[in-house]
């Protein structure tokens, strides 16, 4: 591809160039849960400069070609290979970081909550996110992914219907996680640590941003690539 166009979907752009995800995050553009929007639609909805974003995207695309950056094209992976990647990379990371953040959010709420009452809301939101994600991963590992793996080996109309039904549930849960992440970023002022914040405070906000970035990529891979391999469009 020579250049990106404003008519391309956000999910498609990130699928072609992973760095696009970082550019979209700078503008708070949701490319995972709402990746079916075109760049033009997203810019208009959020009153952003479409030419400015498009220039950044195409500059990055040109740089990646110049430097021959190749992070691997997930679109070329088979569904089963992509599932294994998601499990080994994103599920493994999420299972490790959720308990760590659970302890950290409780700790900073206990120590700093008196002076920063938003930490009570942070703790409540993260607790909900943690519970939802733990259940979500179990649904994917115990039901959705095994069905998708079975379908790749032996396609059947009945099985595809069950997969589509499960995907709809996953889509709704992705939306729910995205909503919580946006609220967490909002009430923390883009994860700005106050002057009296301790090391644990800084560590908590750093890890939350890392989790957010990982979840965006995780959801993008499922919504915009994996599900589409079976002809399932995420609205």
């Amino acid at each position: 591809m020579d250049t990106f166009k404003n008519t391309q979907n956000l999910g498609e752009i990130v699928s072609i160039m992973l760095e696009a995800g970082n550019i979209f995050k700078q503008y708070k553009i949701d490319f995972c849960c709402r990746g079916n929007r075109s760049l033009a639609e997203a810019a208009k909805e959020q009153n952003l400069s479409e030419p400015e974003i498009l220039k950044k995207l195409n500059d990055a695309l040109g740089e990646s070609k110049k430097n021959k950056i190749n992070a691997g094209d997930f679109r070329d992976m088979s569904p089963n290979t992509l599932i294994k990647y998601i499990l080994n990379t994103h599920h493994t990371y999420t299972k490790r970081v959720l308990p760590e953040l659970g302890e950290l959010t409780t700790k900073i709420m206990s120590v700093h909550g008196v002076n920063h009452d938003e930490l009570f809301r942070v703790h409540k939101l993260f607790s909900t996110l943690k519970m939802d994600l733990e259940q979500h991963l179990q649904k994917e590992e115990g039901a959705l992914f095994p069905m998708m793996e079975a379908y790749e080996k032996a396609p059947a109309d009945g099985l595809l219907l069950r997969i589509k039904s499960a995907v709809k549930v996953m889509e709704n849960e992705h939306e729910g996680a995205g909503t919580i992440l946006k609220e967490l970023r909002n009430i923390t002022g883009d994860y700005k640590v106050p002057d009296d914040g301790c090391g644990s405070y800084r560590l908590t906000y750093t890890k939350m941003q890392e989790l957010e970035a990982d979840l965006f990529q995780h959801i993008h891979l499922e919504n915009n690539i994996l599900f589409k391999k079976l002809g399932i469009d995420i609205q």
Side-chain angles (χ1 to χ4, degrees):
M1 169 172 288
D2 295 327
T3 59
F4 290 118
K5 310 295 182 186
N6 65 354
T7 54
Q8 286 178 274
N9 286 353
L10 304 175
E12 177 189 0
I13 292 173
V14 179
S15 298
I16 294 170
M17 184 182 71
L18 292 178
E19 173 60 23
N22 292 328
I23 294 173
F24 289 146
K25 280 189 284 186
Q26 292 172 16
Y27 292 92
K28 298 184 179 180
I29 294 175
D30 184 348
F31 63 87
C32 51
C33 297
R34 302 191 64 202
N36 267 3
R37 294 177 297 163
S38 69
L39 174 59
E41 291 171 329
K44 184 177 180 180
E45 281 181 17
Q46 297 174 226
N47 196 29
L48 300 170
S49 172
E50 177 194 305
E52 177 183 310
I53 299 170
L54 197 56
K55 183 179 186 304
K56 283 192 176 183
L57 290 170
N58 284 321
D59 285 349
L61 181 62
E63 193 66 23
S64 69
K65 289 179 179 178
K66 177 182 175 182
N67 296 328
K68 297 182 180 180
I69 297 172
N70 181 16
D73 194 335
F74 295 104
R75 296 172 301 167
D76 293 336
M77 292 183 180
S78 69
N80 283 355
T81 300
L82 184 51
I83 285 171
K84 287 183 174 62
Y85 175 86
I86 290 170
L87 289 171
N88 293 334
T89 303
H90 297 293
H91 280 223
T92 297
Y93 166 78
T94 304
K95 288 177 181 178
R96 174 174 58 80
V97 79
L98 287 179
E100 294 176 4
L101 271 170
E103 293 180 4
L104 283 168
T105 53
T106 299
K107 180 177 181 179
I108 65 171
M109 177 187 67
S110 300
V111 175
H112 296 279
V114 173
N115 296 320
H116 301 282
D117 59 3
E118 73 276 6
L119 290 177
F120 291 96
R121 183 64 179 157
V122 168
H123 181 268
K124 183 175 182 179
L125 283 169
F126 179 77
S127 297
T128 299
L129 179 65
K130 179 176 180 292
M131 179 183 66
D132 289 350
L133 286 175
E134 288 170 343
Q135 293 179 0
H136 181 82
L137 297 185
Q138 183 55 47
K139 290 176 187 176
E140 288 188 340
E141 294 175 11
L144 177 61
F145 288 169
M147 286 194 294
M148 295 184 80
E149 290 169 342
Y151 183 83
E152 185 174 357
K153 295 176 182 176
D157 291 342
L159 181 56
L160 183 58
L161 286 175
R162 289 169 58 201
I163 291 172
K164 287 183 176 180
S165 178
V167 163
K168 182 62 179 177
V169 174
M170 297 299 103
E171 175 194 359
N172 290 336
E173 293 182 358
H174 288 166
E175 288 277 1
T179 298
I180 293 176
L181 289 171
K182 289 173 187 174
E183 189 169 354
L184 280 168
R185 181 166 282 279
N186 181 54
I187 64 176
T188 58
D190 288 328
Y191 293 108
K192 179 176 174 57
V193 178
D195 292 339
D196 62 343
C198 63
S200 293
Y201 211 130
R202 289 189 292 274
L203 180 60
T204 303
Y205 279 11
T206 296
K207 283 186 172 291
M208 279 192 171
Q209 291 183 84
E210 291 172 353
L211 174 64
E212 177 191 75
D214 186 83
L215 281 172
F216 281 170
Q217 177 67 0
H218 181 175
I219 294 171
H220 160 68
L221 290 176
E222 292 183 0
N223 282 10
N224 301 319
I225 301 180
L226 178 60
F227 298 159
K228 287 183 183 294
K229 287 181 179 291
L230 295 182
I232 302 172
D233 284 325
I234 302 300
Q235 300 301 320

